[in-house]
Amino acid sequence: QVHLVESGGGSVQAGGSLRLSCAASGYTYAITFIGWFRQAPGKEREGVAVIATSGGNTYYSDSVKGRFTVSQDNAKNTVHLQMNSLKPGDAAIYYCAAASCILWVRDPLGQCKYNDWGQGTQVTVSS
């Protein structure tokens, strides 16, 4: 079992920045991707960003590309999501999730099965 804990959420004005963290513990050996997802009122859960834990390749949804950056700190077993130029549409509960998926998958956000999820952290963006 993999345990994930998100942190770093908060309230920020449009144009501001937040840095989310996802700390992983448990059986992390088999994890190949850590993804970030968000759920906003009235919207479906949306894949935001993902990082391959082996090699560090990153993938982003079109809505956040160029504004968000996902990275990992292997020494701390932690993945970060740096969110810049935040918009009101970015407001949501953000979750990190772990997947054991083939490394050559074309779309890790859409194609991989994310079996382990954190509890989420709230991000609020005011205009």
Side-chain angles (χ1 to χ4, degrees):
Q1 188 178 4
V2 177
H3 303 277
L4 303 172
V5 179
E6 302 95 337
S7 62
S11 181
V12 66
Q13 288 188 310
S17 298
L18 285 172
R19 183 177 175 86
L20 307 183
S21 298
C22 174
S25 61
Y27 188 69
T28 61
Y29 175 82
I31 297 174
T32 54
F33 296 97
I34 295 289
W36 286 96
F37 300 80
R38 65 188 182 187
Q39 179 74 58
K43 293 185 177 180
E44 300 287 336
R45 187 170 63 193
E46 175 190 15
V48 173
V50 64
I51 185 167
T53 57
S54 178
N57 291 340
T58 57
Y59 310 82
Y60 301 92
S61 68
D62 290 339
S63 62
V64 307
K65 189 175 297 183
R67 300 186 297 120
F68 291 10
T69 303
V70 64
S71 61
Q72 65 180 350
D73 185 340
N74 289 329
K76 299 179 180 179
N77 217 18
T78 300
V79 171
H80 302 283
L81 183 67
Q82 178 67 45
M83 305 186 296
N84 298 326
S85 301
L86 284 163
K87 305 174 181 179
D90 296 320
I93 300 175
Y94 282 73
Y95 303 87
C96 64
S100 298
C101 192
I102 54 176
L103 295 175
W104 52 266
V105 62
R106 298 179 184 272
D107 179 15
L109 280 172
Q111 295 180 270
C112 292
K113 172 65 175 177
Y114 291 84
N115 296 313
D116 300 287
W117 293 74
Q119 291 184 326
T121 185
Q122 178 74 56
V123 172
T124 302
V125 184
S126 62
S127 60

